[in-house]
Amino acid sequence: MNIKKFDIKARFVTLGYIIKLMCEDRIDWQYPHQDDSFVGASRESDLIESILLGIPLPFFCFFDMGDDTCQIMQGKRKAMILKDFIIDKNFRLQDLRILTQLEGYSYDDLPRDLLRRIEDMQVAVYNVGVSASDTDKSIIFSRIRGW
C-alpha cells in the first residue's frame, strides 16, 4: 500500500464557492453511497434558516476527479437543498421556527444582507485526491460516515 495516494486536504470555503461549483456544473452528484432520499420542504427550510442564523454546518467531502470537477461524497443532501433554493428556486421557506418573518420567502425575496450571510458562510471541506481508487473511496466514505 502506498500511503502517498491518500491525499486528503482540509480547508474552509464559503458556501458561495460551493454554489459557484454547482453553477459551473463542476460537481458530480453520482457518488454511489450517498443517500438521495427526499428531505421535505420544512426540513429544507430548517437548513436555510440555520444558515441565516449562522449555525455551523457539518462538513462537506469531495473527491477530486482530476478534470476540474469533484464528486460529492459527504454533504450531498445539504448541497442539493442549497441548489434547490438558490439556483433552481424550487421552494420557499416554510414552517420556520425562529425567523418567522421570512415565512414564504424565496431566495430572491431575501434582503441583500441575508443573501451575503448565505454566500459568506464558512464551511469545512475535505478534498480527497484523485489517486484514490473506488475501493479506497468506499473505505474513506464509510470511515467518515462512521465517526
Side-chain angles (χ1 to χ4, degrees):
M1 176 184 58
N2 181 356
I3 194 73
K4 290 183 181 182
K5 73 179 180 177
F6 291 96
D7 181 25
I8 302 172
K9 292 185 172 50
R11 63 186 176 135
F12 280 91
V13 301
T14 64
L15 283 180
Y17 175 76
I18 293 174
I19 293 163
K20 181 181 176 193
L21 291 176
M22 288 187 263
C23 287
E24 295 174 352
D25 289 325
R26 291 174 50 202
I27 293 181
D28 175 353
W29 299 91
Q30 302 306 314
Y31 187 70
H33 301 291
Q34 274 287 354
D35 180 4
D36 290 334
S37 62
F38 179 70
V39 176
S42 64
R43 289 286 293 146
E44 291 174 340
S45 292
D46 284 349
L47 176 69
I48 303 303
E49 184 178 44
S50 296
I51 292 167
L52 292 171
L53 292 168
I55 297 171
L57 295 181
F59 67 91
F60 290 84
C61 186
F62 297 101
F63 286 121
D64 180 359
M65 301 298 287
D67 60 357
D68 201 33
T69 63
C70 55
Q71 190 175 55
I72 190 163
M73 180 184 120
Q74 178 69 27
K76 181 177 180 179
R77 187 176 295 147
K78 291 186 297 283
M80 289 177 77
I81 292 169
L82 289 169
K83 183 178 183 297
D84 282 348
F85 186 66
I86 296 168
I87 299 168
D88 299 336
K89 301 180 184 3
N90 285 337
F91 73 93
R92 293 179 169 272
L93 298 176
Q94 67 180 40
D95 300 325
L96 299 175
R97 293 182 270 174
I98 298 174
L99 301 174
T100 56
Q101 70 274 21
L102 300 178
E103 190 75 23
Y105 277 43
S106 70
Y107 178 76
D108 292 334
D109 296 330
L110 292 173
R112 186 69 201 138
D113 63 318
L114 295 182
L115 296 177
R116 275 193 307 274
R117 245 180 192 253
I118 293 171
E119 294 164 9
D120 294 344
M121 181 176 213
Q122 297 277 318
V123 293
V125 171
Y126 295 93
N127 282 72
V128 178
V130 71
S131 60
S133 70
D134 287 342
T135 301
D136 294 338
K137 288 179 185 179
S138 179
I139 292 167
I140 292 166
F141 178 76
S142 66
R143 293 210 180 151
I144 286 173
R145 297 282 293 182
W147 297 118

